[in-house]
Amino acid sequence: MALIIFICIILISCFVQKIQGAHHPKIFGYGFGVVLTGSMEPNLPAGSFIVIHEEEIKEDDIITYNHYTGRSVTHRVIEIDGDTIKTQGDANNSADPEFKSSDVIGKVILHFNVLWILIPVMIYAIGSLIYAFIPERKDN
């Protein structure tokens, strides 16, 4: 139960930061995201929920970084040369343009299909609605 409360506090804090204008909010160095494209399949299918953390990056790590287009990209590190990093999506045929290590948001440390979050939440929500609207049976 404490873990669920902790995760909820982190998610709410990140949500508030996002409302206040943070591009990629984090708390205690942890951030969250969702993979929107199939560029990392089969390892990270589109729709995967990811947890990222600020930590040392090395080759073959999967990272999320600020792309020059202004959006966040999650790809695998294929080369590090000093302060310059090169990445490529696992399903892509070519590498991404190089970028500075200062653009790294974090390393992907956990990922899972977003449906594994939504299914229990929906079951709980539906169960709560049923419980709230079914009148209590009184035995006489």
Side-chain angles (χ1 to χ4, degrees), residues 38-110:
S39 67
M40 285 300 293
E41 289 188 358
N43 296 311
L44 292 176
S48 294
F49 182 81
I50 58 173
V51 178
I52 59 172
H53 187 248
E54 296 172 346
E55 56 187 70
E56 185 180 343
I57 304 299
K58 51 191 181 305
E59 287 184 18
D60 205 41
D61 284 343
I62 298 174
I63 63 169
T64 299
Y65 66 95
N66 290 315
H67 195 261
Y68 68 88
T69 60
R71 59 187 180 139
S72 299
V73 174
T74 300
H75 280 170
R76 188 176 305 279
V77 175
I78 59 171
E79 184 180 326
I80 299 175
D81 184 17
D83 191 37
T84 304
I85 299 175
K86 187 183 277 189
T87 60
Q88 181 174 342
D90 290 352
N92 293 352
N93 294 326
S94 60
D96 305 324
E98 295 178 342
F99 58 91
K100 298 290 182 191
S101 61
S102 59
D103 290 328
V104 174
I105 298 168
K107 176 181 172 179
V108 176
I109 60 169
L110 179 67

